[in-house]
Every structure is written in C-alpha cells, then in structure tokens.
Amino acid sequence: MRKINYLIIHCTATPQSTTIDSIKNYWKNNLGWKNPGYHYIIEPNGNVVNLLPIDKVSNGVGGWNSQIINISYIGGIDTKGRAMDNRTPEQKAAILRLLKELKAKFPKASVAGHRDFPNVHKACPSFNAKAEYAGI
C-alpha cells in the first residue's frame, strides 16, 4: 500500500447535472489520461462512486498524486462558470462520511482542498476544505 499523506477535496467545476461518464470521457479523450482524476466522485444525491482503487494513483494534483487520495463532488460553479460552493446536503454528508472512513485507515493524512497546494491557481473545491474538515 502506498503512503497516503493527504485526502484532497475537489469539485468537478461543472454543472451538477454533469454525468460521471462525461467527466471520464473528458479525462480520456481531452486530457489523454489513463487513470481518472479522482478516486471517488460524489453525485448530487450523495451517492459515492469509487472510480479507482485507492492503492492506484489518480490525477488530481500534479506532482503530488503518489501520496494523495482524491475526492470530488460534482458541481462547484454557478451558471456563469464562477466558483461556488453548491454542494447539496447529501454531498456534504457523503464527503464527511467518506473522510471519516479514510481517516480511520490513514490517521496521519491531512485533509485539504486542491487550491491549498503550491502553484494551484484555481478555487477548487470552491470552499475552504482545510478549515471545514480540520476536526476530522
């Protein structure tokens, strides 16, 4: 098992109506990725979908992925494409539940948002994940 130092929260920066299949197609066809961007993606109804086993490396934060489990919720932008925390109550509950499960497996892992990494120039996940999940 690889050493996990971070549990990172992302948003897809898409409308909440976006399908997981369309996100996966974008990674494969537009970005040329063999592995997904996230280990887990959370639908607006709170359904947690595992896209990649956590012992594999996903593509969430360039240069850091070998030590990260990447988690994303579908959403994170308003109708004009601007950053907005539009997580549903179901997504918030699912993220919290998943983080607690992962912290039990990786107690030393820090929780942060994509935007908290050096040289990341985006608002992802459109809220302060570090502060919101500080007590986990």
Side-chain angles (χ1 to χ4, degrees):
M1 184 63 105
R2 61 194 178 99
K3 182 172 166 126
I4 302 300
N5 293 317
Y6 302 98
L7 305 173
I8 302 304
I9 308 300
H10 299 264
C11 66
T12 58
T14 63
Q16 287 186 315
S17 59
T18 303
T19 66
I20 293 173
D21 282 342
S22 69
I23 294 167
K24 288 166 54 175
N25 285 335
Y26 175 78
W27 291 331
K28 183 179 178 184
N29 299 323
N30 293 63
L31 301 178
W33 291 354
K34 288 184 167 95
N35 285 347
Y38 320 119
H39 292 92
Y40 297 96
I41 196 163
I42 301 165
E43 297 173 312
N45 65 3
N47 184 40
V48 176
V49 179
N50 182 220
L51 300 177
L52 187 71
I54 60 173
D55 63 331
K56 306 281 185 220
V57 177
S58 63
N59 290 304
V61 183
W64 295 85
N65 291 312
S66 65
Q67 53 186 315
I68 289 177
I69 294 176
N70 290 294
I71 303 161
S72 184
Y73 70 96
I74 296 177
I77 59 170
D78 67 14
T79 56
K80 296 187 173 157
R82 294 179 298 225
M84 176 184 178
D85 180 6
N86 58 4
R87 292 173 292 159
T88 64
E90 294 84 1
Q91 284 173 316
K92 288 181 180 182
I95 292 169
L96 185 59
R97 192 170 49 252
L98 180 57
L99 285 174
K100 287 180 178 179
E101 289 172 16
L102 291 169
K103 279 292 275 185
K105 291 179 187 173
F106 307 101
K108 293 185 179 181
S110 299
V111 178
H114 186 182
R115 70 184 191 179
D116 296 317
F117 280 80
N119 302 314
V120 172
H121 306 289
K122 52 177 83 176
C124 179
S126 300
F127 72 97
N128 188 341
K130 209 179 223 185
E132 184 162 330
Y133 301 117
I136 294 179

